[in-house]
Amino acid sequence: MIITLVFNVIDLGDPKVTGLGDIVSYTFIPPSFSILFLAYLTAKNKWVLSLLFCAGLLLIEYGMIKSGYMHLNGWFFIYSIAVYFLVYAFVLPWHIAFIK
């Protein structure tokens, strides 16, 4: 969210108007996926879950792009693959370990 807002690399819906879809896209989808991931995370299934959640988020992003709701401004879909994988394979497991 910080990357997209500060660097303006994507636009959701109408870039001049903040709508309900923007709010849902920023406030409910990422935290919901993260909480589900951490709830089912174990040492044995870390890599499988990371790949499944990355795939799920990539499908959502791809659907938003193809439907015309998300417009990329200097951001490439391949960047999303790398960011999602880093977050789900390394950042979130470290974060939950830090909290515990």
XYZ file of all heavy atoms in Angstrom:
810
model
N 0.826 -1.184 0.000
C 0.000 0.000 0.000
C 0.872 1.250 0.000
O 0.571 2.211 -0.705
C -0.918 -0.015 1.215
C -1.923 1.093 1.211
S -3.177 0.819 2.427
C -2.912 2.203 3.457
N 1.940 1.228 0.775
C 2.824 2.391 0.826
C 3.449 2.635 -0.547
O 3.497 3.766 -1.023
C 3.917 2.193 1.893
C 3.277 2.189 3.273
C 4.982 3.274 1.806
C 4.194 1.755 4.384
N 3.898 1.565 -1.185
C 4.526 1.697 -2.503
C 3.537 2.270 -3.509
O 3.871 3.161 -4.284
C 5.069 0.340 -2.985
C 6.248 -0.082 -2.114
C 5.482 0.394 -4.443
C 6.713 -1.486 -2.357
N 2.308 1.768 -3.483
C 1.336 2.213 -4.476
C 0.885 3.652 -4.241
O 0.657 4.385 -5.192
C 0.106 1.297 -4.509
O -0.515 1.300 -3.225
C 0.483 -0.106 -4.888
N 0.764 4.071 -2.992
C 0.307 5.432 -2.717
C 1.424 6.460 -2.875
O 1.214 7.522 -3.458
C -0.289 5.516 -1.314
C -1.596 4.765 -1.111
C -2.033 4.850 0.338
C -2.681 5.302 -2.020
N 2.602 6.155 -2.359
C 3.698 7.128 -2.408
C 4.238 7.287 -3.820
O 4.445 8.396 -4.297
C 4.827 6.717 -1.439
C 6.045 7.611 -1.610
C 4.332 6.766 -0.005
N 4.452 6.160 -4.505
C 5.047 6.214 -5.833
C 4.013 6.226 -6.959
O 4.370 6.326 -8.111
C 6.016 5.045 -6.020
C 7.166 5.090 -5.063
C 7.271 4.160 -4.054
C 8.124 6.078 -5.172
C 8.333 4.201 -3.163
C 9.197 6.131 -4.286
C 9.297 5.187 -3.272
N 2.737 6.101 -6.626
C 1.642 6.147 -7.599
C 1.874 5.191 -8.771
O 1.843 5.587 -9.925
C 1.426 7.574 -8.097
C 0.120 7.710 -8.858
O -0.835 6.982 -8.603
N 0.074 8.646 -9.787
N 2.107 3.918 -8.449
C 2.380 2.935 -9.498
C 1.131 2.218 -9.982
O 1.174 1.555 -11.007
C 3.450 1.909 -9.056
C 4.799 2.586 -8.906
C 3.050 1.204 -7.788
N 0.026 2.329 -9.252
C -1.239 1.761 -9.724
C -2.368 2.735 -9.418
O -2.273 3.548 -8.511
C -1.573 0.376 -9.109
C -1.857 0.501 -7.615
C -0.504 -0.635 -9.400
C -2.509 -0.724 -7.012
N -3.433 2.622 -10.185
C -4.670 3.358 -9.923
C -5.795 2.343 -9.851
O -5.886 1.438 -10.688
C -4.975 4.360 -11.042
C -4.012 5.533 -11.048
O -3.639 5.976 -9.956
O -3.662 5.992 -12.144
N -6.633 2.481 -8.864
C -7.804 1.624 -8.738
C -9.031 2.446 -9.092
O -9.266 3.500 -8.509
C -7.939 1.068 -7.324
C -6.820 0.156 -6.852
C -7.038 -0.244 -5.405
C -6.724 -1.072 -7.727
N -9.809 1.949 -10.032
C -11.012 2.666 -10.448
C -10.668 4.011 -11.041
O -9.717 4.161 -11.797
N -11.430 5.012 -10.693
C -11.182 6.377 -11.149
C -10.093 6.987 -10.266
O -10.268 7.103 -9.055
C -12.463 7.204 -11.051
C -12.329 8.598 -11.628
O -11.222 8.948 -12.103
O -13.324 9.335 -11.605
N -8.953 7.388 -10.831
C -7.852 7.901 -10.007
C -8.176 9.196 -9.258
O -7.528 9.517 -8.275
C -6.717 8.125 -10.998
C -7.271 7.971 -12.348
C -8.622 7.348 -12.236
N -9.201 9.916 -9.687
C -9.540 11.187 -9.039
C -10.527 11.017 -7.889
O -10.695 11.924 -7.089
C -10.102 12.149 -10.079
C -9.101 12.539 -11.141
C -9.747 13.444 -12.168
C -8.788 13.868 -13.229
N -8.491 12.885 -14.233
N -11.180 9.854 -7.804
C -12.222 9.645 -6.809
C -11.923 8.380 -6.003
O -11.634 7.340 -6.575
C -13.605 9.492 -7.503
C -14.693 9.256 -6.480
C -13.922 10.699 -8.355
N -11.982 8.488 -4.687
C -11.831 7.319 -3.828
C -13.203 6.718 -3.599
O -14.115 7.394 -3.132
C -11.204 7.709 -2.477
O -9.939 8.298 -2.724
C -11.048 6.498 -1.595
N -13.342 5.462 -3.952
C -14.623 4.800 -3.813
C -14.568 3.625 -2.861
O -13.529 3.328 -2.264
N -15.689 2.943 -2.725
C -15.790 1.791 -1.843
C -14.842 0.676 -2.281
O -14.234 0.007 -1.447
C -17.237 1.285 -1.811
C -17.529 0.138 -0.858
C -17.213 0.534 0.570
C -18.975 -0.285 -0.980
N -14.687 0.485 -3.581
C -13.776 -0.546 -4.080
C -12.338 -0.297 -3.668
O -11.595 -1.232 -3.349
N -11.921 0.962 -3.662
C -10.568 1.317 -3.219
C -10.382 0.965 -1.747
O -9.362 0.396 -1.356
C -10.299 2.804 -3.399
C -10.336 3.243 -4.838
O -10.297 2.375 -5.728
O -10.407 4.460 -5.075
N -11.361 1.323 -0.953
C -11.277 1.073 0.486
C -11.205 -0.424 0.762
O -10.376 -0.883 1.548
C -12.471 1.730 1.214
C -12.367 3.252 1.079
C -12.513 1.312 2.675
C -13.609 3.998 1.493
N -12.044 -1.208 0.105
C -12.035 -2.665 0.284
C -10.721 -3.249 -0.202
O -10.120 -4.109 0.457
C -13.232 -3.304 -0.444
C -13.113 -4.816 -0.482
C -14.535 -2.902 0.227
N -10.240 -2.783 -1.344
C -9.005 -3.311 -1.915
C -7.801 -3.056 -1.021
O -6.879 -3.855 -0.977
C -8.745 -2.700 -3.287
O -9.757 -3.064 -4.183
N -7.787 -1.941 -0.318
C -6.651 -1.607 0.540
C -6.797 -2.092 1.974
O -5.807 -2.394 2.619
C -6.418 -0.092 0.564
C -5.751 0.449 -0.670
C -6.309 1.497 -1.368
C -4.561 -0.084 -1.134
C -5.695 2.017 -2.505
C -3.944 0.414 -2.267
C -4.513 1.460 -2.936
O -3.903 1.961 -4.052
N -8.016 -2.131 2.500
C -8.168 -2.397 3.928
C -8.617 -3.808 4.278
O -8.373 -4.247 5.403
C -9.155 -1.408 4.572
O -10.419 -1.524 3.925
C -8.644 0.004 4.482
N -9.264 -4.521 3.383
C -9.764 -5.843 3.742
C -9.038 -7.002 3.065
O -8.791 -8.023 3.703
C -11.268 -5.950 3.445
C -12.107 -5.108 4.349
C -12.854 -4.063 3.836
C -12.132 -5.331 5.703
C -13.625 -3.270 4.664
C -12.892 -4.545 6.545
C -13.639 -3.506 6.025
N -8.702 -6.875 1.804
C -8.119 -8.005 1.083
C -6.727 -8.368 1.615
O -6.504 -9.514 2.021
C -8.104 -7.751 -0.441
C -9.537 -7.664 -0.968
C -7.348 -8.859 -1.170
C -9.648 -7.224 -2.414
N -5.747 -7.451 1.661
C -4.413 -7.851 2.138
C -4.381 -8.342 3.592
O -3.795 -9.393 3.863
C -3.570 -6.591 1.965
C -4.281 -5.793 0.932
C -5.738 -6.089 1.135
N -5.022 -7.647 4.533
C -4.983 -8.159 5.909
C -5.697 -9.500 6.062
O -5.246 -10.356 6.822
C -5.688 -7.084 6.738
C -5.693 -5.874 5.909
C -5.653 -6.321 4.496
N -6.775 -9.700 5.336
C -7.499 -10.969 5.416
C -6.639 -12.125 4.935
O -6.570 -13.180 5.580
C -8.787 -10.919 4.598
O -9.634 -9.916 5.087
N -5.971 -11.941 3.816
C -5.081 -12.987 3.306
C -3.933 -13.238 4.279
O -3.539 -14.376 4.510
C -4.538 -12.600 1.927
C -5.362 -13.122 0.792
C -6.548 -12.513 0.434
C -4.952 -14.228 0.085
C -7.308 -12.990 -0.608
C -5.702 -14.723 -0.969
C -6.891 -14.104 -1.316
N -3.373 -12.183 4.863
C -2.262 -12.334 5.802
C -2.681 -13.077 7.056
O -1.956 -13.954 7.542
C -1.697 -10.966 6.183
O -1.213 -10.305 5.054
N -3.841 -12.760 7.592
C -4.334 -13.434 8.794
C -4.610 -14.904 8.516
O -4.248 -15.776 9.310
C -5.582 -12.721 9.341
C -5.188 -11.362 9.917
C -6.288 -13.574 10.396
C -6.346 -10.456 10.221
N -5.234 -15.203 7.389
C -5.465 -16.605 7.019
C -4.151 -17.352 6.845
O -4.003 -18.490 7.298
C -6.294 -16.696 5.743
C -7.763 -16.366 5.872
C -8.406 -16.285 4.495
C -8.457 -17.410 6.725
N -3.196 -16.733 6.195
C -1.893 -17.357 6.001
C -1.245 -17.683 7.337
O -0.776 -18.798 7.563
C -0.991 -16.427 5.179
C 0.411 -16.923 5.027
C 0.718 -17.884 4.082
C 1.430 -16.423 5.826
C 2.013 -18.345 3.932
C 2.726 -16.868 5.684
C 3.014 -17.832 4.735
N -1.209 -16.715 8.233
C -0.561 -16.924 9.532
C -1.314 -17.913 10.406
O -0.705 -18.618 11.216
C -0.383 -15.590 10.256
C 0.614 -14.641 9.597
C 0.609 -13.292 10.301
C 2.006 -15.243 9.571
N -2.623 -17.994 10.244
C -3.405 -18.937 11.039
C -3.081 -20.386 10.674
O -3.119 -21.271 11.535
C -4.898 -18.675 10.851
N -2.764 -20.648 9.419
C -2.491 -22.007 8.967
C -1.005 -22.302 8.787
O -0.637 -23.414 8.410
C -3.219 -22.276 7.636
C -4.704 -22.331 7.810
C -5.504 -21.268 7.395
C -5.313 -23.412 8.413
C -6.873 -21.297 7.560
C -6.678 -23.460 8.585
C -7.452 -22.406 8.163
O -8.814 -22.432 8.343
N -0.152 -21.343 9.071
C 1.282 -21.507 8.855
C 1.905 -22.460 9.868
O 1.718 -22.313 11.075
C 1.978 -20.144 8.953
C 3.491 -20.133 8.769
C 3.855 -20.548 7.348
C 4.051 -18.772 9.102
N 2.611 -23.452 9.365
C 3.456 -24.322 10.183
C 4.794 -24.455 9.473
O 4.939 -24.058 8.319
C 2.835 -25.723 10.376
O 2.758 -26.372 9.107
C 1.465 -25.647 11.025
N 5.756 -25.030 10.151
C 7.076 -25.209 9.533
C 7.003 -26.157 8.338
O 7.746 -26.006 7.367
C 8.068 -25.738 10.566
N 6.084 -27.115 8.390
C 5.985 -28.110 7.318
C 5.338 -27.548 6.051
O 5.677 -27.955 4.948
C 5.176 -29.319 7.774
C 5.890 -30.179 8.780
C 5.040 -31.383 9.127
C 5.751 -32.254 10.134
N 4.961 -33.438 10.471
N 4.369 -26.667 6.209
C 3.621 -26.202 5.028
C 3.944 -24.769 4.606
O 3.214 -24.174 3.833
C 2.120 -26.350 5.262
C 1.589 -25.413 6.323
O 2.315 -24.622 6.891
N 0.306 -25.519 6.602
N 5.043 -24.222 5.093
C 5.399 -22.826 4.798
C 5.486 -22.559 3.297
O 4.897 -21.593 2.801
C 6.720 -22.478 5.462
C 7.248 -21.111 5.101
C 8.619 -20.876 5.684
C 9.188 -19.578 5.156
N 10.534 -19.346 5.632
N 6.190 -23.398 2.563
C 6.415 -23.144 1.143
C 5.163 -23.392 0.316
O 4.882 -22.643 -0.619
C 7.592 -23.970 0.633
C 8.853 -23.562 1.324
C 9.550 -24.273 2.252
C 9.528 -22.310 1.194
N 10.626 -23.548 2.698
C 10.632 -22.338 2.058
C 9.311 -21.176 0.433
C 11.518 -21.265 2.179
C 10.192 -20.110 0.553
C 11.279 -20.165 1.419
N 4.413 -24.415 0.669
C 3.169 -24.688 -0.061
C 2.182 -23.549 0.154
O 1.573 -23.049 -0.795
C 2.564 -26.044 0.376
C 1.192 -26.250 -0.229
C 3.496 -27.179 0.019
N 2.027 -23.120 1.405
C 1.120 -22.007 1.689
C 1.591 -20.719 1.016
O 0.773 -19.953 0.491
C 1.009 -21.773 3.194
C -0.011 -22.577 3.953
C -0.012 -22.191 5.414
C -1.384 -22.434 3.377
N 2.884 -20.474 1.033
C 3.413 -19.268 0.385
C 3.055 -19.254 -1.093
O 2.596 -18.232 -1.617
C 4.931 -19.191 0.541
O 5.289 -19.065 1.888
N 3.250 -20.370 -1.757
C 2.929 -20.441 -3.183
C 1.429 -20.332 -3.444
O 1.005 -19.654 -4.381
C 3.483 -21.731 -3.779
C 5.008 -21.807 -3.845
C 5.454 -23.186 -4.310
C 5.564 -20.720 -4.748
N 0.613 -20.969 -2.607
C -0.845 -20.894 -2.774
C -1.363 -19.473 -2.574
O -2.192 -18.993 -3.357
C -1.548 -21.843 -1.817
C -1.486 -23.322 -2.158
C -2.111 -24.151 -1.037
C -2.195 -23.595 -3.469
N -0.898 -18.813 -1.548
C -1.371 -17.461 -1.282
C -0.855 -16.485 -2.336
O -1.572 -15.568 -2.734
C -0.995 -17.017 0.128
C -1.977 -17.477 1.159
C -1.955 -18.770 1.634
C -2.949 -16.626 1.636
C -2.861 -19.208 2.562
C -3.876 -17.041 2.570
C -3.834 -18.340 3.038
N 0.375 -16.675 -2.801
C 0.890 -15.838 -3.895
C 0.035 -16.024 -5.136
O -0.337 -15.054 -5.795
C 2.338 -16.191 -4.194
S 3.488 -15.643 -2.945
N -0.286 -17.268 -5.441
C -1.115 -17.544 -6.619
C -2.500 -16.915 -6.480
O -3.030 -16.329 -7.427
C -1.236 -19.050 -6.835
N -3.093 -17.021 -5.291
C -4.408 -16.423 -5.064
C -4.399 -14.916 -5.233
O -5.283 -14.337 -5.884
N -3.403 -14.267 -4.678
C -3.314 -12.819 -4.811
C -3.007 -12.395 -6.240
O -3.518 -11.382 -6.722
C -2.252 -12.266 -3.856
C -2.701 -12.253 -2.402
C -1.528 -12.032 -1.481
C -3.752 -11.188 -2.183
N -2.198 -13.174 -6.928
C -1.911 -12.860 -8.326
C -3.161 -13.003 -9.187
O -3.381 -12.215 -10.105
C -0.787 -13.744 -8.850
C 0.597 -13.403 -8.304
C 1.598 -14.485 -8.668
C 1.052 -12.045 -8.795
N -3.992 -14.006 -8.888
C -5.253 -14.153 -9.619
C -6.181 -12.971 -9.373
O -6.833 -12.475 -10.296
C -5.946 -15.462 -9.244
C -5.340 -16.723 -9.834
C -6.010 -17.961 -9.244
C -5.468 -16.716 -11.341
N -6.247 -12.521 -8.142
C -7.072 -11.353 -7.826
C -6.551 -10.125 -8.567
O -7.310 -9.379 -9.183
C -7.109 -11.101 -6.304
C -7.920 -12.196 -5.614
C -7.690 -9.717 -5.993
C -7.855 -12.141 -4.101
N -5.237 -9.926 -8.518
C -4.655 -8.773 -9.210
C -4.871 -8.860 -10.718
O -5.222 -7.870 -11.362
C -3.157 -8.683 -8.906
C -2.507 -7.468 -9.500
C -1.062 -7.306 -9.081
O -0.679 -7.812 -8.014
O -0.327 -6.652 -9.834
N -4.675 -10.040 -11.279
C -4.881 -10.236 -12.714
C -6.334 -9.945 -13.098
O -6.597 -9.287 -14.099
C -4.498 -11.668 -13.103
C -4.632 -11.956 -14.571
C -3.696 -11.473 -15.472
C -5.690 -12.709 -15.054
C -3.813 -11.728 -16.823
C -5.819 -12.980 -16.398
C -4.878 -12.483 -17.290
O -5.008 -12.738 -18.620
N -7.268 -10.404 -12.281
C -8.682 -10.131 -12.532
C -9.004 -8.653 -12.470
O -9.786 -8.134 -13.277
N -8.383 -7.950 -11.520
C -8.607 -6.509 -11.411
C -8.029 -5.765 -12.615
O -8.615 -4.786 -13.084
C -8.005 -5.983 -10.101
C -8.768 -6.443 -8.869
S -7.949 -6.045 -7.315
C -8.111 -4.279 -7.271
N -6.904 -6.245 -13.119
C -6.301 -5.613 -14.293
C -7.152 -5.881 -15.530
O -7.455 -4.980 -16.305
C -4.854 -6.117 -14.500
C -3.947 -5.610 -13.383
C -4.312 -5.676 -15.863
C -2.580 -6.266 -13.346
N -7.536 -7.145 -15.725
C -8.302 -7.514 -16.918
C -9.696 -6.893 -16.933
O -10.241 -6.613 -17.989
C -8.409 -9.041 -17.050
C -7.137 -9.678 -17.519
C -6.777 -9.126 -18.883
C -5.502 -9.697 -19.409
N -5.080 -9.100 -20.658
N -10.272 -6.681 -15.756
C -11.596 -6.061 -15.704
C -11.527 -4.550 -15.929
O -12.559 -3.897 -16.090
C -12.269 -6.354 -14.360
O -11.610 -5.655 -13.313
N -10.324 -3.997 -15.900
C -10.160 -2.568 -16.106
C -10.231 -1.757 -14.837
O -10.166 -0.529 -14.870
N -10.343 -2.420 -13.698
C -10.439 -1.698 -12.427
C -9.077 -1.199 -11.963
O -8.961 -0.128 -11.392
C -11.066 -2.592 -11.363
C -11.276 -1.885 -10.058
C -12.240 -0.893 -9.941
C -10.496 -2.180 -8.949
C -12.416 -0.219 -8.748
C -10.676 -1.514 -7.758
C -11.632 -0.539 -7.662
O -11.809 0.136 -6.489
N -8.025 -1.979 -12.219
C -6.677 -1.593 -11.818
C -5.875 -1.202 -13.063
O -5.857 -1.930 -14.048
C -5.964 -2.744 -11.098
C -4.547 -2.411 -10.676
S -3.646 -3.813 -9.990
C -4.419 -3.946 -8.401
N -5.237 -0.055 -12.982
C -4.384 0.428 -14.063
C -2.965 0.549 -13.528
O -2.740 1.167 -12.483
C -4.871 1.780 -14.576
C -6.291 1.767 -15.008
N -6.689 1.264 -16.227
C -7.417 2.164 -14.370
C -7.998 1.352 -16.316
N -8.472 1.897 -15.198
N -2.008 -0.055 -14.221
C -0.617 -0.025 -13.791
C 0.093 1.182 -14.385
O -0.001 1.441 -15.574
C 0.090 -1.316 -14.219
C -0.546 -2.617 -13.722
C 0.201 -3.816 -14.283
C -0.591 -2.666 -12.221
N 0.805 1.911 -13.538
C 1.567 3.099 -13.967
C 3.048 2.870 -13.662
O 3.545 3.287 -12.634
C 1.110 4.355 -13.213
C -0.348 4.646 -13.390
O -0.898 4.385 -14.443
N -0.977 5.184 -12.363
N 3.758 2.186 -14.536
C 5.165 1.920 -14.296
C 5.410 0.698 -13.432
O 6.536 0.420 -13.063
N 4.391 0.001 -13.072
C 4.492 -1.237 -12.285
C 4.232 -2.390 -13.230
O 3.377 -2.299 -14.102
C 3.449 -1.233 -11.166
C 3.541 -2.406 -10.244
C 2.802 -3.541 -10.298
C 4.405 -2.564 -9.120
N 3.132 -4.400 -9.295
C 4.135 -3.816 -8.552
C 5.392 -1.774 -8.546
C 4.808 -4.292 -7.432
C 6.055 -2.248 -7.434
C 5.759 -3.485 -6.886
N 4.985 -3.454 -13.079
C 4.817 -4.617 -13.936
C 4.348 -5.795 -13.111
O 4.699 -5.925 -11.933
C 6.120 -4.954 -14.666
C 6.584 -3.855 -15.567
C 7.571 -2.978 -15.156
C 6.015 -3.679 -16.816
C 7.997 -1.949 -15.973
C 6.436 -2.655 -17.641
C 7.427 -1.792 -17.218
N 3.551 -6.647 -13.704
C 2.975 -7.807 -13.022
C 4.069 -8.689 -12.428
O 3.893 -9.266 -11.359
C 2.111 -8.593 -14.013
C 1.226 -9.616 -13.375
C 0.155 -9.238 -12.594
C 1.468 -10.972 -13.558
C -0.673 -10.180 -12.015
C 0.653 -11.918 -12.979
C -0.422 -11.515 -12.211
N 5.224 -8.768 -13.063
C 6.332 -9.586 -12.564
C 6.831 -9.054 -11.221
O 7.270 -9.825 -10.366
C 7.473 -9.681 -13.602
C 8.462 -10.772 -13.247
C 8.192 -8.376 -13.756
C 8.036 -12.120 -13.682
N 6.734 -7.751 -11.000
C 7.112 -7.184 -9.704
C 6.197 -7.699 -8.605
O 6.645 -7.957 -7.481
C 7.040 -5.657 -9.722
C 7.976 -4.951 -10.671
C 7.761 -3.621 -10.987
C 9.052 -5.586 -11.259
C 8.597 -2.940 -11.854
C 9.903 -4.915 -12.125
C 9.670 -3.596 -12.414
O 10.492 -2.926 -13.271
N 4.926 -7.838 -8.916
C 3.967 -8.331 -7.924
C 4.309 -9.748 -7.500
O 4.181 -10.099 -6.324
C 2.550 -8.291 -8.488
O 2.162 -6.969 -8.740
N 4.737 -10.571 -8.446
C 5.114 -11.949 -8.120
C 6.240 -11.939 -7.095
O 6.175 -12.636 -6.080
C 5.532 -12.714 -9.396
C 4.336 -12.858 -10.334
C 6.114 -14.078 -9.047
C 4.696 -13.362 -11.719
N 7.259 -11.139 -7.335
C 8.397 -11.063 -6.419
C 7.992 -10.517 -5.056
O 8.383 -11.067 -4.013
C 9.501 -10.211 -7.029
N 7.187 -9.462 -5.035
C 6.779 -8.851 -3.765
C 5.914 -9.815 -2.952
O 6.146 -9.997 -1.751
C 6.047 -7.515 -4.008
C 5.380 -7.014 -2.738
C 7.009 -6.485 -4.558
N 4.930 -10.438 -3.575
C 4.077 -11.384 -2.854
C 4.891 -12.544 -2.297
O 4.700 -12.958 -1.155
C 2.964 -11.938 -3.753
C 1.919 -10.928 -4.147
C 1.305 -10.999 -5.389
C 1.528 -9.912 -3.299
C 0.334 -10.092 -5.766
C 0.560 -8.996 -3.669
C -0.033 -9.090 -4.896
O -0.991 -8.191 -5.262
N 5.813 -13.065 -3.106
C 6.608 -14.194 -2.630
C 7.486 -13.780 -1.452
O 7.570 -14.497 -0.458
C 7.465 -14.783 -3.752
C 8.224 -15.991 -3.311
C 7.573 -17.205 -3.137
C 9.577 -15.920 -3.038
C 8.259 -18.319 -2.705
C 10.275 -17.023 -2.604
C 9.615 -18.231 -2.439
N 8.136 -12.647 -1.538
C 8.964 -12.177 -0.421
C 8.144 -11.984 0.854
O 8.576 -12.372 1.943
C 9.663 -10.878 -0.790
C 10.828 -10.988 -1.759
C 11.310 -9.598 -2.167
C 11.958 -11.773 -1.139
N 6.984 -11.394 0.712
C 6.155 -11.133 1.884
C 5.665 -12.431 2.519
O 5.786 -12.626 3.736
C 4.961 -10.217 1.523
C 3.931 -10.190 2.632
C 5.463 -8.823 1.220
N 5.144 -13.353 1.706
C 4.571 -14.570 2.265
C 5.607 -15.616 2.638
O 5.375 -16.415 3.544
C 3.525 -15.162 1.304
C 2.229 -14.407 1.423
C 1.936 -13.362 0.569
C 1.329 -14.707 2.429
C 0.764 -12.645 0.702
C 0.157 -13.999 2.573
C -0.117 -12.966 1.712
O -1.276 -12.249 1.854
N 6.757 -15.636 2.002
C 7.769 -16.633 2.327
C 8.703 -16.177 3.442
O 9.205 -17.015 4.191
C 8.588 -16.983 1.085
N 8.904 -14.860 3.577
C 9.895 -14.400 4.534
C 9.386 -13.377 5.548
O 9.613 -13.525 6.745
C 11.109 -13.818 3.787
C 11.759 -14.820 2.883
C 11.599 -14.730 1.508
C 12.503 -15.862 3.395
C 12.180 -15.658 0.664
C 13.090 -16.804 2.565
C 12.928 -16.696 1.201
N 8.711 -12.337 5.093
C 8.317 -11.251 5.998
C 7.261 -11.701 7.010
O 7.422 -11.475 8.213
C 7.836 -10.015 5.206
C 7.318 -8.945 6.141
C 8.965 -9.475 4.339
N 6.181 -12.313 6.549
C 5.124 -12.722 7.480
C 5.572 -13.803 8.464
O 5.253 -13.704 9.655
C 3.875 -13.156 6.718
C 3.051 -12.011 6.118
C 1.903 -12.553 5.290
C 2.537 -11.086 7.191
N 6.316 -14.833 8.039
C 6.819 -15.797 9.033
C 7.748 -15.133 10.062
O 7.686 -15.434 11.265
C 7.566 -16.835 8.197
C 6.883 -16.795 6.880
C 6.542 -15.345 6.675
N 8.597 -14.207 9.613
C 9.450 -13.494 10.566
C 8.606 -12.650 11.508
O 8.867 -12.584 12.708
C 10.430 -12.600 9.809
C 11.197 -11.724 10.764
C 12.304 -12.060 11.475
C 10.866 -10.381 11.149
N 12.691 -11.007 12.263
C 11.817 -9.953 12.080
C 9.851 -9.509 10.774
C 11.795 -8.698 12.648
C 9.819 -8.259 11.344
C 10.789 -7.868 12.275
N 7.589 -12.013 10.956
C 6.731 -11.136 11.760
C 6.017 -11.912 12.870
O 5.979 -11.461 14.017
C 5.713 -10.453 10.840
C 4.842 -9.461 11.524
N 5.312 -8.260 11.989
C 3.529 -9.493 11.836
C 4.312 -7.597 12.558
N 3.222 -8.316 12.467
N 5.463 -13.079 12.540
C 4.771 -13.857 13.568
C 5.753 -14.410 14.600
O 5.434 -14.489 15.786
C 3.893 -14.971 12.946
C 2.890 -15.518 13.972
C 4.701 -16.111 12.407
C 1.824 -14.572 14.360
N 6.967 -14.771 14.168
C 7.979 -15.222 15.111
C 8.393 -14.078 16.048
O 8.592 -14.292 17.245
C 9.181 -15.770 14.377
N 8.494 -12.888 15.512
C 8.837 -11.715 16.318
C 7.751 -11.422 17.340
O 8.038 -11.087 18.493
C 9.050 -10.514 15.393
C 9.413 -9.248 16.128
C 10.675 -9.072 16.640
C 8.470 -8.253 16.289
C 11.023 -7.914 17.315
C 8.788 -7.089 16.967
C 10.068 -6.913 17.479
N 6.499 -11.543 16.938
C 5.390 -11.285 17.852
C 5.365 -12.318 18.982
O 5.144 -11.978 20.131
C 4.046 -11.292 17.091
C 3.963 -10.059 16.198
C 2.869 -11.340 18.055
C 2.767 -10.058 15.266
N 5.588 -13.577 18.610
C 5.577 -14.638 19.637
C 6.728 -14.470 20.586
O 6.686 -14.744 21.737
C 5.630 -16.011 18.983
C 4.350 -16.365 18.283
C 4.460 -17.739 17.652
C 3.164 -18.107 16.941
N 3.235 -19.411 16.302
